[in-house]
Amino acid sequence: MENVLKLSNENRICSSKLTYKNTTEVNNNFSLHVNFNGDEKFVLNKKKLRLFPHNFLAINPGTLYSDIIDSDSPVQKLSISFAKGFIDDFKTSFLEDDNYFPDNYGNHLPSQNLTFNETIFPLLGDLKYNIEHLKVLIRSNCQDELLLNEFLYHILLNYYTLYQKDILFVEESLKDLQFATRKEIYRRLSLAKEYLYSNFDQKINICELSKYSCMSATHLIRSFRQAYHTTPHQFLINIRLQQAKFLLKNTSYPINNIVTTVGLDSPSTFIKLFKMRYKVTPLKYRTSYN
Amino acid sequence: MRIKYVTIPSGNIAEAETFFVKFLGFTHKGELELWPNVRCKLLSNNDSDVHIAIIPNKCTLKQKAVIIFNTENCLQQYHEITKNGVVFNHKPYYVSAGMIADFTDKEGNQFILLEERSYLEE
């Protein structure tokens, strides 16, 4: 089942529930892809990525990409394609001094050079809420374009805020380096994070990760720690625990299955890590939602 | 949309809080940021879902009352009320409690739509 809603300003929202999909096309407009419950593969130019729940993928205009779903159970997803004119309007309203917003309130991040990053991000905060609301509106067959565009504007704003916060955090952490170096390190660390988000369920070794992110292993670990105040390994553990939490909450999979699904070795390690991170055992966490 | 908070303006929040807790048996329920850098103290009694919000007096100089509606979807509610002809003071915006939109009636009373969002799990 695939429901495509094309708005009169050329914005496009596609909601689907599919067990199989294999399309290749050039992405005409900037787009965001969210997957709510399954495993979806993307090939962006030559880069192979996998998208899981809790994450989203941003794809820039002009990128040749394949979107592949091959699953026993239907994968629910939402794709939003933002028309060029809509993005231009967003940039204009973003860069001008907009007095609609109260002062100093994070709705307005100054930027002279508005660019988007083509990678995987965690689906967090206001973006998660607004995407969920949009999903409900689409399911209820909402045709109110003003309302849908209002949501799309906020989703774009939330995405950009998330991206800017990530950049600013890294820039602050690496402030002793020159601007061009910081920019390049940010790009490479984004690749490393993308690899971890994409392959957390596999055995990951530091050599593969450093090769993917075009850095030596030592440089990668040092820069990652410096930029994000954590190691790639700890970052990976957090992704695994987040995904495990999602599975505990939304499925009835036995704990042992969850442990292997998220790429961890043993149930005892998983229980220990989960309890350390969330101050509750996996079983108690699951029970609290049933 | 339902009433969630009843606001009590006060020039001395600590004193007002003590009054509600000591003399009326209310309990602390936390804080809420309703305007940038302005935090209200939340109190309730008997596990009621409607809370008292003690707000700094300076915020209400021009308002007779501040009514806070709890909504599941602030943007949608804002859109529906706007379609009925109501002009909001701001476009919906984000605070640490979630998303907010507010309008003022002819009498100067302020109405706030609040969609509470939890960012704790992140």
Side-chain angles (χ1 to χ4, degrees):
Chain A
M1 183 200 76
E2 195 166 42
N3 178 14
V4 181
L5 194 60
K6 197 169 181 180
L7 307 184
S8 49
N9 60 3
E10 301 291 311
N11 281 338
R12 216 172 62 124
I13 307 164
C14 176
S15 164
S16 62
K17 202 173 176 183
L18 301 168
T19 52
Y20 183 79
K21 181 180 187 180
N22 193 340
T23 56
T24 300
E25 61 183 340
V26 174
N27 195 38
N28 289 325
N29 293 315
F30 174 72
S31 60
L32 298 179
H33 300 259
V34 185
N35 170 340
F36 296 103
N37 69 334
D39 174 0
E40 186 177 8
K41 295 178 184 65
F42 283 88
V43 184
L44 306 188
N45 295 321
K46 287 178 182 172
K47 203 160 65 168
K48 288 180 185 169
L49 299 175
R50 287 160 70 219
L51 188 64
F52 292 91
H54 269 308
N55 300 331
F56 70 94
L57 172 67
I59 307 181
N60 277 331
T63 298
L64 176 71
Y65 80 102
S66 301
D67 182 357
I68 303 153
I69 294 173
D70 193 357
S71 164
D72 294 335
S73 54
V75 174
Q76 278 183 62
K77 66 166 292 187
L78 188 73
S79 303
I80 304 164
S81 171
F82 298 92
K84 188 179 176 302
F86 190 81
I87 297 267
D88 290 343
D89 286 349
F90 172 77
K91 287 179 180 178
T92 310
S93 69
F94 208 77
L95 295 176
E96 76 186 10
D97 186 20
D98 187 345
N99 292 319
Y100 277 118
F101 288 123
D103 292 339
N104 307 322
Y105 229 71
N107 297 288
H108 219 244
L109 296 168
S111 171
Q112 293 306 311
N113 184 21
L114 205 63
T115 54
F116 299 127
N117 196 7
E118 186 171 80
T119 191
I120 295 174
F121 292 90
L123 186 60
L124 298 172
D126 291 308
L127 182 61
K128 186 176 81 178
Y129 276 96
N130 289 334
I131 291 265
E132 286 288 345
H133 285 325
L134 182 65
K135 185 174 88 172
V136 173
L137 283 178
I138 297 296
R139 274 192 193 162
S140 61
N141 205 21
C142 171
Q143 301 287 328
D144 185 336
E145 291 210 5
L146 264 177
L147 177 60
L148 293 169
N149 278 316
E150 189 85 55
F151 268 98
L152 295 191
Y153 178 86
H154 274 266
I155 286 169
L156 198 54
L157 176 71
N158 299 149
Y159 159 73
Y160 190 66
T161 307
L162 197 73
Y163 169 45
Q164 281 291 303
K165 273 186 182 167
D166 193 41
I167 291 185
L168 292 175
F169 185 75
V170 172
E171 291 216 336
E172 180 59 27
S173 305
L174 304 176
K175 63 184 173 199
D176 295 337
L177 301 175
Q178 286 193 342
F179 175 73
T181 314
R182 276 203 310 261
K183 204 174 153 189
E184 185 55 27
I185 288 182
Y186 177 75
R187 190 186 71 78
R188 294 182 192 197
L189 292 179
S190 293
L191 287 172
K193 281 168 66 179
E194 172 182 283
Y195 188 86
L196 297 173
Y197 281 126
S198 237
N199 299 289
F200 67 86
D201 59 337
Q202 313 286 319
K203 294 265 177 255
I204 294 179
N205 70 54
I206 192 71
C207 296
E208 285 167 18
L209 183 64
S210 56
K211 192 177 164 195
Y212 188 85
S213 44
C214 314
M215 296 167 106
S216 72
T218 321
H219 191 198
L220 170 65
I221 294 169
R222 196 179 59 231
S223 302
F224 204 99
R225 194 200 291 267
Q226 204 179 349
Y228 294 110
H229 307 161
T230 184
T231 63
H233 180 70
Q234 283 162 340
F235 190 84
L236 173 64
I237 295 288
N238 276 342
I239 297 173
R240 286 173 169 165
L241 292 176
Q242 279 277 355
Q243 291 294 332
K245 207 160 74 147
F246 172 83
L247 294 172
L248 286 167
K249 190 176 165 184
N250 297 290
T251 72
S252 54
Y253 297 167
I255 301 272
N256 284 358
N257 284 19
I258 292 178
V259 171
T260 47
T261 304
V262 301
L264 284 165
D265 286 330
S266 76
S268 59
T269 312
F270 166 62
I271 293 167
K272 197 174 132 195
L273 290 168
F274 195 93
K275 200 174 172 188
M276 261 167 61
R277 177 83 169 83
Y278 300 115
K279 315 287 179 224
V280 63
T281 63
L283 210 57
K284 274 191 184 160
Y285 178 79
R286 172 173 267 171
T287 314
S288 68
Y289 279 97
N290 292 330
Chain B
M1 194 166 76
R2 62 196 173 83
I3 291 179
K4 179 79 185 279
Y5 300 110
V6 176
T7 55
I8 309 286
S10 169
N12 186 334
I13 290 197
E15 205 173 83
E17 196 183 0
T18 307
F19 172 77
F20 275 97
V21 173
K22 274 198 172 174
F23 296 95
L24 302 179
F26 278 68
T27 50
H28 294 276
K29 292 290 172 184
E31 288 189 351
L32 181 70
E33 188 180 31
L34 278 178
W35 296 274
N37 304 319
V38 177
R39 301 190 82 83
C40 313
K41 296 278 184 189
L42 298 179
L43 305 165
S44 80
N45 66 345
N46 301 327
D47 292 327
S48 167
D49 194 31
V50 178
H51 291 60
I52 294 283
I54 306 175
I55 58 175
N57 214 2
K58 59 182 179 184
C59 299
T60 55
L61 279 178
K62 291 176 186 170
Q63 289 114 29
K64 288 180 178 173
V66 179
I67 309 294
I68 304 164
F69 291 109
N70 195 231
T71 171
E72 296 288 309
N73 187 335
C74 181
L75 261 186
Q76 188 172 9
Q77 199 86 60
Y78 160 82
H79 182 75
E80 280 164 14
I81 295 174
T82 304
K83 274 206 295 196
N84 293 338
V86 173
V87 179
F88 277 75
N89 299 330
H90 300 284
K91 288 177 183 171
Y93 59 98
Y94 301 98
V95 291
S96 58
M99 192 182 220
I100 271 186
D102 64 289
F103 62 92
T104 311
D105 70 6
K106 282 180 187 169
E107 304 293 325
N109 299 309
Q110 190 182 10
F111 296 86
I112 296 176
L113 305 181
L114 167 66
E115 178 188 340
E116 286 177 302
R117 295 179 170 185
S118 166
Y119 307 113
L120 287 177
E121 288 204 354
E122 293 151 12

